[in-house]
């Protein structure tokens, strides 16, 4: 699971960089693609760092993994919806962006809980 989080974070970095370039050179400002890129790029380091936090014991592993999955899923939904809308003018499904944003916030809350539930000597 730790390796998967690093790979997913790296993919977010890749996709965020590509989306930022496309927002500048293809769709232009105000389309939502720049916001999509920002969310991908802001959360890429978090997913990559989470396994290190788990290994140091600063967060409880099982809870942190669940939080990482929620963060990944939320960003994928939110950014995917914005990108699809900007590029194709289509939507994933009704309320996809708000659903993704809510799942993302839940993921951050779960990671906070993982830190609170960590062993005391870490």
């Amino acid at each position: 699971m730790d390796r998967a989080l690093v790979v997913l974070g790296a993919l977010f970095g890749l996709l965020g960089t590509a989306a930022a370039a496309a927002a500048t050179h293809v769709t232009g400002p105000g389309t939502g693609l720049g916001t999509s890129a920002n969310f991908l790029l802001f959360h890429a380091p978090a997913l990559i760092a989470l396994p290190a936090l788990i290994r140091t014991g600063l967060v409880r592993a099982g809870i942190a993994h669940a939080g990482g999955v929620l963060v990944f899923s939320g960003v994928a939904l939110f950014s995917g919806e914005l990108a699809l809308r900007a590029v194709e003018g289509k939507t994933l499904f009704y309320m996809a962006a708000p659903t993704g944003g809510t799942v993302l916030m839940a993921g951050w809350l779960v990671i906070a809980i993982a830190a609170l539930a960590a062993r005391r000597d870490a």
Side-chain angles (χ1 to χ4, degrees):
M1 176 59 120
D2 288 349
R3 185 166 299 177
L5 288 172
V6 172
V7 168
L8 293 173
L11 289 175
F12 272 6
L14 168 76
L15 294 172
T17 303
T24 300
H25 300 291
V26 178
T27 64
T31 63
L33 192 56
T35 301
S36 175
N38 286 338
F39 269 75
L40 289 162
L41 290 170
F42 294 158
H43 292 88
L47 290 177
I48 291 170
L50 196 53
L53 294 172
I54 291 168
R55 289 184 188 249
T56 63
L58 290 172
V59 294
R60 173 102 25 117
I63 299 170
H65 284 134
V69 168
L70 288 171
V71 166
F72 168 77
S73 301
V75 171
L77 259 179
F78 182 80
S79 292
E81 169 67 13
L82 292 181
L84 185 62
R85 245 192 276 162
V87 174
E88 295 288 326
K90 299 177 182 175
T91 186
L92 287 170
F93 58 87
Y94 177 71
M95 298 288 286
T99 300
T102 301
V103 170
L104 174 58
M105 288 186 283
W108 280 113
L109 179 60
V110 170
I111 291 170
I113 292 167
L116 293 171
R119 41 177 231 263
R120 299 268 181 224
D121 61 345

